[in-house]
């Protein structure tokens, strides 16, 4: 792990951000030396799959990104990129692990709900029935972890493709997680749409740290050791400009949780749904 951190630090210091091929207007790509700051006001919520977990209300959402010559910040993700060719770009990225957001309502990572892979239809949640369940109020506090990784972005025809591999560099859960996703943006009159699909993989160590029940928990709770998890997600987003700075927008996401998650006595549903409808004002 020590050598991995040194390697990541070396890459951060030597990588040079380069622009990729010009983007079509509907792709909403960021350009170098660009600051974007907007706030969306409306209403929505993100469901919580945990027993005793609180749903996250979405009322004011920031959308913040800045792309400089050598680095970028994009809604909680810090990185440095370089172009491999006209279609593909490799980035070294870092961010706080988002898993804690289900356990702590006001976790900082919950503020950033905008990303390049948002949206899908909500479904009816089905509670797991049985005596072997545990509330988040009964367990010890889950840790905050910091991840670093490699992100590959590409353009294949009209499809945007992304793959990310993350490693815990804070030595918190000592595991990895990864995802691969595709996204199709299109424009219909003044309406801008984006349909996305993504598959997440989370290591047994990550699942065990956040959803496992070990001997450090109260004795009356059922024990559970985490297993590797595969979690598919669908998302859809819509935006309609009203003026140069004001837009109407909406998004919805559906994340399916597999048995590695639902077998945990902490988890009561097999999905997480997120939706939001509001109006956005762009300051920069």
């Amino acid at each position: 792990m020590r050598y991995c951190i040194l390697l990541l630090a070396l890459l951060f210091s030597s990588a040079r951000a380069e622009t990729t091929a010009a983007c079509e207007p509907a792709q909403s790509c960021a350009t170098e030396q660009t600051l974007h700051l907007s706030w969306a006001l409306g209403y929505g919520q993100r469901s919580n799959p945990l027993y005793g977990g609180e749903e996250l209300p979405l009322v004011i959402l920031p959308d913040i990104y800045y792309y400089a010559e050598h680095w970028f910040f994009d809604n909680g993700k810090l990185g440095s990129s370089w172009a491999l060719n006209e279609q593909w770009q490799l980035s070294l990225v870092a961010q706080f692990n988002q898993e804690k957001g289900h356990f702590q309502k006001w976790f900082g990572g919950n503020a950033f709900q905008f990303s390049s892979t948002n949206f899908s239809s909500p479904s009816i949640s089905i509670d797991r029935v049985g005596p072997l369940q545990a509330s988040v109020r009964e367990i010890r506090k889950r840790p905050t972890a910091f991840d670093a990784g490699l992100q590959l972005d590409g353009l294949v025809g009209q499809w945007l493709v992304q793959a990310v591999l993350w490693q815990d560099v804070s030595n918190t859960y000592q595991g990895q997680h990864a995802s691969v996703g595709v996204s199709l943006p299109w424009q219909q009159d003044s309406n801008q749409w984006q349909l996305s699909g993504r598959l997440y993989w989370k290591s047994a160590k990550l699942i065990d740290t956040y959803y496992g029940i070990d001997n450090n928990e109260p004795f009356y709770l059922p024990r559970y050791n985490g297993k590797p998890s595969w979690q598919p997600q669908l998302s859809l987003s819509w935006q309609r400009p009203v003026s140069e700075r004001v837009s109407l927008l909406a998004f919805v996401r559906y994340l399916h949780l597999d048995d590695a998650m639902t077998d945990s006595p902490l988890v009561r549903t097999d999905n997480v749904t997120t939706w939001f409808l509001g109006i956005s004002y762009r300051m920069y």
Side-chain angles (χ1 to χ4, degrees):
M1 179 63 65
R2 177 178 54 194
Y3 299 107
C4 180
I5 297 175
L6 291 176
L7 177 59
L8 292 174
L10 178 62
L11 288 174
F12 261 124
S13 64
S14 61
R16 176 183 179 85
E18 300 182 30
T19 58
T20 56
C23 297
E24 297 295 331
Q27 293 171 4
S28 302
C29 295
T31 56
E32 193 174 295
Q33 303 288 358
T34 295
L35 170 65
H36 174 95
L37 173 59
S38 66
W39 296 88
L41 177 64
Y43 184 73
Q45 66 179 15
R46 187 187 70 187
S47 66
N48 195 313
L50 306 183
Y51 284 105
E54 297 182 78
E55 293 184 340
L56 179 68
L58 306 178
V59 179
I60 301 177
L61 300 182
D63 185 15
I64 306 170
Y65 59 77
Y66 176 73
Y67 283 77
E69 183 180 2
H70 299 285
W71 63 278
F72 68 87
F73 174 85
D74 194 336
N75 287 306
K77 182 187 294 182
L78 182 66
S80 183
S81 303
W82 59 97
L84 302 178
N85 54 44
E86 291 185 352
Q87 283 78 37
W88 295 93
Q89 178 173 288
L90 185 66
S91 303
L92 185 63
V93 290
Q95 68 176 11
F96 287 102
N97 187 280
Q98 301 299 297
E99 220 65 43
K100 189 176 178 179
H102 295 308
F103 296 86
Q104 184 176 326
K105 185 176 182 179
W106 302 116
F107 173 62
N110 285 338
F112 296 105
Q113 295 296 318
F114 290 107
S115 70
S116 60
T117 56
N118 282 347
F119 233 101
S120 143
S121 302
S123 68
I124 299 174
S125 299
I126 303 175
D127 288 358
R128 294 171 63 243
V129 179
L132 299 180
Q133 61 187 53
S135 169
V136 295
R137 298 180 180 88
E138 299 176 274
I139 61 174
R140 58 189 171 88
K141 185 177 180 181
R142 279 357 189 199
T144 299
F146 190 75
D147 298 330
L150 290 175
Q151 175 176 304
L152 180 65
D153 294 276
L155 180 63
V156 180
Q158 296 298 315
W159 292 87
L160 306 176
V161 181
Q162 184 183 88
V164 193
L165 174 63
W166 298 95
Q167 168 69 48
D168 171 28
V169 294
S170 60
N171 203 33
T172 300
Y173 61 89
Q174 302 178 355
Q176 305 80 30
H177 60 103
S179 69
V180 58
V182 294
S183 179
L184 178 64
W186 76 94
Q187 186 163 337
Q188 185 179 38
D189 297 327
S190 297
N191 301 295
Q192 299 172 4
W193 298 87
Q194 182 164 295
L195 177 66
S196 304
R198 182 166 290 265
L199 179 63
Y200 295 92
W201 170 81
K202 300 176 181 180
S203 69
K205 290 184 177 180
L206 187 154
I207 297 298
D208 189 56
T209 297
Y210 289 95
Y211 305 101
I213 302 292
D214 58 25
N215 292 329
N216 294 318
E217 314 288 359
F219 72 91
Y220 54 84
L221 298 180
R223 308 294 96 172
Y224 179 71
N225 295 321
K227 300 174 293 185
S229 177
W230 294 89
Q231 302 174 10
Q233 176 180 278
L234 287 175
S235 58
L236 179 66
S237 63
W238 166 80
Q239 183 171 338
R240 182 183 178 91
V242 177
S243 67
E244 183 179 356
R245 293 185 178 272
V246 178
S247 298
L248 300 175
L249 61 86
F251 67 82
V252 60
R253 294 195 298 265
Y254 175 82
L255 175 68
H256 179 75
L257 307 178
D258 66 356
D259 291 347
M261 285 282 292
T262 58
D263 285 347
S264 169
L266 292 174
V267 180
R268 64 181 180 85
T269 69
D270 65 357
N271 64 80
V272 178
T273 60
T274 308
W275 63 272
F276 179 82
L277 174 63
I279 186 169
S280 173
Y281 177 75
R282 181 172 61 86
M283 302 177 66
Y284 293 99

